Amino acid sequence: MVFLSWTRPSPEEQKACINKSGSFNYDNKFRGATEKPAPLLKQDKELGKDGFYVNYARVLVGSGLETFEKGKDALQNWRHFGLNWSFVDPKTPIQSGSKFCVCVKEVFPWLMMPLQVVYVSENKNLKKGVASFSFGSGTLQGHLLAGEERFSIALDENNQVWYEILSFSKPAHLLSYFGYPYVLLRQKYFAHHSGSAVRKHLSA
């Protein structure tokens, strides 16, 4: 099952995709694994045994609490998907259990890939000058990949603000199985452009 559209997917098409998607397509024992710090996730031997590949990107997007708050707002409004070739309905609420579609243009057709928010996490310790906001989403039936992805924005002890993408994935369809090297390249391509989109939003 693959969800395709020859034109930019409408809200109705995205809703239909979500309604047909069903449940998560990866093992429950890995649900929420992206809450771990990136180094620990990369060392997770169970993920490797199950054929998952860990992808990680970290981009410096500014400094200060105000920038962090703007970055948090950017994630909550899906600004990190503000691309010509990839988007998420900005009205999608960032809350556990919320289902949505990532719409991606690949050459001629658009792909609609269903996911569900697994967790939302926010921490602030302004006495130490640190704060973070993140959410993780898991793939549903009908997604070309199986796995989970976390987006986060964090203010560190040096007053720097970082945007991070952390995911683990493996092919869940013949299309992605045969084209997985291309998929991995596209993940890196997305990370680069998503980081640029966040920086652009913060400097606006």
Side-chain angles (χ1 to χ4, degrees), residues 142-153:
H143 199 295
L144 292 181
L145 299 176
E148 194 172 286
E149 186 167 41
R150 183 193 82 200
F151 295 101
S152 63
I153 196 86

Side-chain angles (χ1 to χ4, degrees), residues 30-161:
F30 296 126
R31 204 73 38 79
T34 52
E35 284 195 272
K36 298 178 182 178
L40 289 182
L41 193 68
K42 289 179 178 179
Q43 294 169 15
D44 192 320
K45 294 181 180 179
E46 288 298 311
L47 283 175
K49 286 180 182 178
D50 273 45
F52 287 102
Y53 173 84
V54 176
N55 182 54
Y56 176 60
R58 187 172 188 244
V59 182
L60 181 64
V61 293
S63 61
L65 183 60
E66 183 178 350
T67 297
F68 165 77
E69 292 294 348
K70 287 182 69 176
K72 174 185 169 183
D73 179 74
L75 294 194
Q76 291 176 321
N77 289 282
W78 299 94
R79 298 285 186 174
H80 52 302
F81 272 94
L83 310 173
N84 292 330
W85 53 273
S86 181
F87 73 93
V88 171
D89 184 345
K91 295 179 182 178
T92 301
I94 305 295
Q95 60 187 37
S96 182
S98 182
K99 293 184 177 182
F100 62 96
C101 276
V102 169
C103 301
V104 180
K105 184 167 176 49
E106 291 291 349
V107 190
F108 295 112
W110 284 81
L111 286 169
M112 290 177 286
M113 295 183 284
L115 297 101
Q116 181 173 327
V117 177
V118 176
Y119 63 86
V120 181
S121 178
E122 182 170 11
N123 295 290
K124 274 188 181 181
N125 188 337
L126 297 183
K127 287 184 178 180
K128 291 186 177 181
V130 297
S132 66
F133 173 80
S134 64
F135 70 95
S137 304
T139 54
L140 302 176
Q141 300 292 333
H143 199 295
L144 292 181
L145 299 176
E148 194 172 286
E149 186 167 41
R150 183 193 82 200
F151 295 101
S152 63
I153 196 86
L155 174 68
D156 69 13
E157 61 278 3
N158 296 315
N159 205 39
Q160 293 181 315
V161 179

Side-chain angles (χ1 to χ4, degrees), residues 7-53:
T7 58
R8 184 181 175 91
S10 66
E12 292 74 24
E13 287 176 307
Q14 294 174 60
K15 185 177 181 180
C17 167
I18 292 169
N19 289 340
K20 294 177 182 177
S21 62
S23 59
F24 291 106
N25 67 354
Y26 65 108
D27 199 304
N28 184 60
K29 68 182 179 181
F30 296 126
R31 204 73 38 79
T34 52
E35 284 195 272
K36 298 178 182 178
L40 289 182
L41 193 68
K42 289 179 178 179
Q43 294 169 15
D44 192 320
K45 294 181 180 179
E46 288 298 311
L47 283 175
K49 286 180 182 178
D50 273 45
F52 287 102
Y53 173 84

